[in-house]
Amino acid sequence: MQNQFQTIEAARDSLEHRVVERTQELLIINQQLATEIQERERIEQILRESEERYDLAVSGTNDGLWDWDIHQGKIYYSPVWKKILGYQPDAIPFNQQWLTKVHPDDRQGFQQAITDHLKGPEVVFSQTLRLENVAGDYIWVDVKGNCLRDQTGKAYRMVGTIMDISDKKAVEAELRRAKENAESANQTKSEFLANISHEIRTPMNAILGFCELLQGSLKSPRSQSYLAAIGLSSKTLMALIDDILDISKIEAGKLVIHRDLVDLNAILAETKQIFLQKARNKGIRLVT
C-alpha cells in the first residue's frame, strides 16, 4: 500500500508539473495569438484606411474600376464604371459576358491583347475600344490594367480602369474632317490657279507674238516705244503667271531659289518703260 501511495504521489507530482508546463505553454501561445490578433487588426485597419483613401481618390475621377478574379470568373465593377456605361450603382451588369459588349470590330484585337498580356511580360495593359452601354449604344473607352501572378508566373487576377473618351474621339474626328476639308479646299485652289494661269498664258502668248510681228512694221519711235511697253508688260505678266504656278511648290516646300546675275540697268530701263506713258499723261518727267 505504501509503495502504491508513493507511486500515486509521484504521478500526482509529475502530473502537476506537466500541468504547470502545459499552462505556461498555453500562456505563451495565448500571448502569441494575442500579438498576432493585434497585428492582424492593425493590418486590417491599415487596409481599411488605404481602401477608403483609394475609394475617395477614385470617386473624384472619371475612371471606372474593374477587378477580375480569373480563377473564379468574377468581376467587380465600381460605381463609376457602372455610371460610365449607364448602369445603376446597385446593378450587376455582367461577368464573363462583358467581352460580348465590345464592338465586333474591336473584339478580336482586344481578346488577343488580353491573352498576350496574361501570357507575356508586359507590365501595363492598355487598349482603346468601343464598349456597348446600357442603352445599346457604343462609346469609346480607354482601358488600362495590370495582372497579378503567382509564384509560377501564372496570372490569377487582373485589375484596371476604364475612361470614357467619346468626347475626345469626337473632337479628333472633327479635326480630321476639318483637315480633310482644308486639304480638299487647298487642292481645289491649286487646281484653279493652275487652270487660270494656263488660260491667261494663251492670250499673253498671242500678245507677245503680235508684238514681235509689229516690230518690223512700225517705223515711228513713239510707236516703237509703245510696242516695247506692251512687250515688257506682257513679259511681266508671264513672270507673274509663273509665280502663281510656283505657289504649289512653295506649299510643298519644294521651291528652288536660283541665284543669278542680273543687269540692274536693264531692270530700271524696263521699269521706266512700263510707267513712262502714265507719267507723261500726268505731266511728270520720269528719270532713272
Side-chain angles (χ1 to χ4, degrees):
M1 291 292 294
Q2 185 176 1
N3 290 335
Q4 291 179 353
F5 282 129
Q6 289 177 351
T7 301
I8 293 173
E9 186 71 21
R12 185 187 66 182
D13 293 341
S14 177
L15 179 60
E16 290 178 353
H17 180 70
R18 288 198 301 271
V19 169
V20 171
E21 289 180 347
R22 186 57 178 169
T23 302
Q24 291 178 348
E25 291 176 357
L26 290 175
L27 289 175
I28 294 174
I29 293 174
N30 288 335
Q31 290 177 353
Q32 292 175 347
L33 288 175
T35 303
E36 291 178 0
I37 291 172
Q38 291 177 355
E39 180 65 16
R40 178 172 295 181
E41 290 177 349
R42 186 183 70 84
I43 294 174
E44 290 177 352
Q45 180 63 26
I46 293 174
L47 289 175
R48 281 194 297 269
E49 293 175 355
S50 177
E51 290 177 356
E52 290 175 357
R53 285 194 297 267
Y54 187 69
D55 291 339
L56 287 173
V58 173
S59 63
T61 68
N62 295 323
D63 294 346
L65 293 179
W66 51 271
D67 188 345
W68 179 20
D69 187 333
I70 299 175
H71 289 168
Q72 297 185 8
K74 296 181 179 180
I75 304 177
Y76 163 78
Y77 303 101
S78 71
V80 177
W81 190 100
K82 298 176 183 178
K83 180 180 178 181
I84 291 175
L85 294 181
Y87 291 94
Q88 295 298 323
D90 56 347
I92 302 177
F94 35 74
N95 280 327
Q96 293 287 33
Q97 293 80 11
W98 67 281
L99 285 175
T100 63
K101 301 298 181 179
V102 178
H103 193 280
D105 294 342
D106 304 332
R107 191 175 302 158
Q108 183 176 358
F110 183 57
Q111 286 179 306
Q112 186 62 46
I114 291 179
T115 301
D116 294 342
H117 177 73
L118 296 178
K119 292 182 178 179
E122 291 83 2
V123 177
V124 178
F125 173 83
S126 181
Q127 284 282 302
T128 299
L129 52 92
R130 287 160 290 183
L131 199 60
E132 185 180 358
N133 61 15
V134 69
D137 300 321
Y138 286 99
I139 63 172
W140 281 99
V141 295
D142 185 20
V143 183
K144 288 184 171 59
N146 195 2
C147 66
L148 301 178
R149 305 178 186 273
D150 56 22
Q151 295 179 351
T152 64
K154 186 177 180 180
Y156 65 89
R157 182 181 177 189
M158 190 170 179
V159 182
T161 62
I162 66 168
M163 176 185 291
D164 187 354
I165 57 172
S166 299
D167 293 340
K168 177 183 176 182
K169 282 291 185 178
V171 172
E172 290 177 353
E174 186 63 28
L175 290 176
R176 185 165 52 253
R177 285 193 295 269
K179 181 176 180 291
E180 292 173 353
N181 292 336
E183 291 175 349
S184 177
N186 186 60
Q187 180 65 25
T188 302
K189 179 200 70 176
S190 299
E191 292 175 356
F192 170 77
L193 290 176
N195 291 333
I196 199 67
S197 298
H198 288 297
E199 292 296 329
I200 296 174
R201 188 185 293 273
T202 300
M204 290 308 304
N205 286 326
I207 294 172
L208 288 173
F210 281 112
C211 286
E212 293 178 358
L213 292 175
L214 289 173
Q215 282 180 352
S217 60
L218 295 177
K219 305 301 181 181
S220 169
R222 175 172 292 185
S223 298
Q224 287 286 344
S225 175
Y226 292 162
L227 186 61
I230 294 174
L232 289 174
S233 297
S234 300
K235 290 179 180 179
T236 301
L237 286 174
M238 292 293 285
L240 289 175
I241 292 172
D242 292 336
D243 291 340
I244 292 174
L245 293 176
D246 283 338
I247 288 179
S248 58
K249 295 181 180 179
I250 295 174
E251 292 175 343
K254 297 181 179 180
L255 181 66
V256 179
I257 298 178
H258 299 281
R259 299 182 181 271
D260 295 325
L261 294 175
V262 296
D263 186 347
L264 183 58
N265 290 326
I267 293 176
L268 292 175
E270 292 176 359
T271 305
K272 178 181 178 180
Q273 186 66 34
I274 293 173
F275 293 100
L276 184 60
Q277 185 59 40
K278 184 178 291 187
R280 286 175 178 174
N281 293 338
K282 296 184 177 182
I284 298 173
R285 182 168 175 260
L286 183 59
V287 179
T288 59

